[in-house]
Amino acid sequence: MKKIILTFLFSTSCLFFASAQFDNRFYFPSKQWNNIEGLNYKEFNFEIDTISINTMLIKPEIEVKATVIYYHGSSGNITTYINHIRPLINAGYQILMIDFRGYGKSTGVPTHKNIAVDAQYIFEKIIVLDEIKNNPVIIYGASMGTQIATKIAKDNQTKISALVLDGTISSFTDMALTSVPDEQKTMVEQYVTSPYSAKNDIKEIKLPKLFIQGSEDKTVPFEQFETVYENALTPKELWIYRGEHLESAKLYPEVLVQKVDKLLNLSSQKNP
């Protein structure tokens, strides 16, 4: 019995430690900067304490319809996702892309909490820029970026027009549960918690929402997207395309533009 108790206490203490360090299992930053060809862009750096956060504003060649603030997924950096937003740029959307701490040219180490603090700080700074302040703003989250995108949308509803979630994750905790044995799931649910989650934050967002999901997505369990969609208030639209995780822009660029155009038109009707 003593051995069982000691084993349990050791396992529990390890889990507490793992919980504190668990964020690094979600973020896989890269410093490799890919070439950006054929795009008009400029970079902004924001200093937060001793950390520098790099952002990129990409402008279309035609008149700007709206600004899309894009939160990327768990791996790579801004340049990894350029082709994911290229159809929108060609269609007249200017894109503000943000690299989390440790990604690309940003410094520091990413955690759930500092990403949230940084995102809100940067949002407040960029929303007043001359290039952005007179245009509608759409928040766009991709994969792991759907968590912070939903939080920023919830906390800033009067300043934005709509929300797009692509390859939605329901929560950090739910994602962690996909990689542990059944006998450990109860303990993970108890100790590995999410400081914010799309499945909860979405319940408070009254703005028009577009959900994009690949029917063959093997990266994120389909039921996670379903949970967030079912929790969402109307107006909301669902686009399930035939393809894998975050492949909508590659496989159906015209449809992606049509869906975002429709979302923008709906938001303008609600906020004339």
Side-chain angles (χ1 to χ4, degrees):
M1 178 60 71
K2 183 178 179 181
K3 182 177 180 181
I4 293 174
I5 293 173
L6 289 174
T7 301
F8 174 77
L9 290 174
F10 176 76
S11 299
T12 303
S13 64
C14 287
L15 188 56
F16 271 117
F17 177 77
S19 178
Q21 304 296 322
F22 206 76
D23 289 8
N24 62 13
R25 300 190 183 188
F26 289 90
Y27 303 106
F28 306 96
S30 172
K31 293 295 185 182
Q32 179 178 341
W33 196 256
N34 301 318
N35 290 331
I36 303 173
E37 298 179 355
L39 295 177
N40 176 23
Y41 69 92
K42 63 179 179 178
E43 296 177 57
F44 298 88
N45 288 299
F46 296 90
E47 305 302 320
I48 305 175
D49 296 326
T50 60
I51 302 300
S52 178
I53 303 297
N54 181 250
T55 70
M56 179 186 296
L57 182 64
I58 309 172
K59 291 180 167 292
E61 297 295 330
I62 59 178
E63 183 179 356
V64 173
K65 293 178 182 177
T67 300
V68 174
I69 301 177
Y70 187 91
Y71 299 97
H72 61 64
S74 63
S75 61
N77 58 52
I78 284 173
T79 62
T80 309
Y81 296 84
I82 289 294
N83 288 332
H84 292 242
I85 46 86
R86 197 178 287 269
L88 295 176
I89 298 169
N90 294 338
Y93 292 90
Q94 67 175 358
I95 314 293
L96 192 286
M97 305 184 78
I98 302 169
D99 258 338
F100 307 138
R101 294 190 185 205
Y103 286 77
K105 298 178 182 179
S106 296
T107 62
V109 176
T111 68
H112 300 331
K113 290 185 177 180
N114 66 35
I115 284 175
V117 172
D118 296 346
Q120 182 61 38
Y121 177 84
I122 292 170
F123 177 85
E124 293 171 2
K125 294 293 184 181
I126 63 177
I127 203 72
V128 297
L129 294 176
D130 289 339
E131 297 96 329
I132 294 175
K133 65 183 181 181
N134 295 320
N135 294 307
V137 173
I138 297 172
I139 301 292
Y140 194 125
S143 192
M144 197 65 67
T146 58
Q147 300 306 291
I148 187 58
T150 310
K151 177 172 173 53
I152 292 296
K154 182 201 74 170
D155 292 344
N156 300 276
Q157 295 191 58
T158 62
K159 299 177 182 178
I160 65 174
S161 298
L163 171 66
V164 179
L165 297 180
D166 188 351
T168 307
I169 290 168
S170 53
S171 76
F172 298 117
T173 305
D174 291 344
M175 202 62 192
L177 290 170
T178 65
S179 61
V180 297
D182 289 343
E183 60 270 17
Q184 295 181 14
K185 288 186 176 180
T186 300
M187 196 172 291
V188 168
E189 287 176 329
Q190 184 174 359
Y191 295 116
V192 183
T193 57
S194 300
Y196 48 91
S197 67
K199 69 179 180 182
N200 289 324
D201 288 342
I202 200 72
K203 298 175 183 178
E204 301 181 40
I205 300 175
K206 299 177 182 179
L207 301 165
K209 295 164 283 290
L210 171 63
F211 292 82
I212 303 173
Q213 187 67 32
S215 62
E216 300 166 10
D217 191 334
K218 299 179 182 64
T219 302
V220 180
F222 200 81
E223 58 266 23
Q224 290 198 28
F225 142 74
E226 289 181 311
T227 295
V228 181
Y229 180 76
E230 289 170 3
N231 286 352
L233 302 172
T234 56
K236 59 184 177 181
E237 181 176 354
L238 171 59
W239 174 30
I240 299 178
Y241 63 89
R242 185 174 181 180
E244 297 182 7
H245 193 58
L246 300 184
E247 285 194 320
S248 60
K250 179 177 75 172
L251 300 177
Y252 311 100
E254 297 87 359
V255 179
L256 174 62
V257 171
Q258 291 170 5
K259 295 290 185 182
V260 176
D261 281 348
K262 181 179 177 181
L263 185 71
L264 180 61
N265 291 335
L266 178 59
S267 68
S268 65
Q269 294 169 14
K270 292 182 68 65
N271 301 286

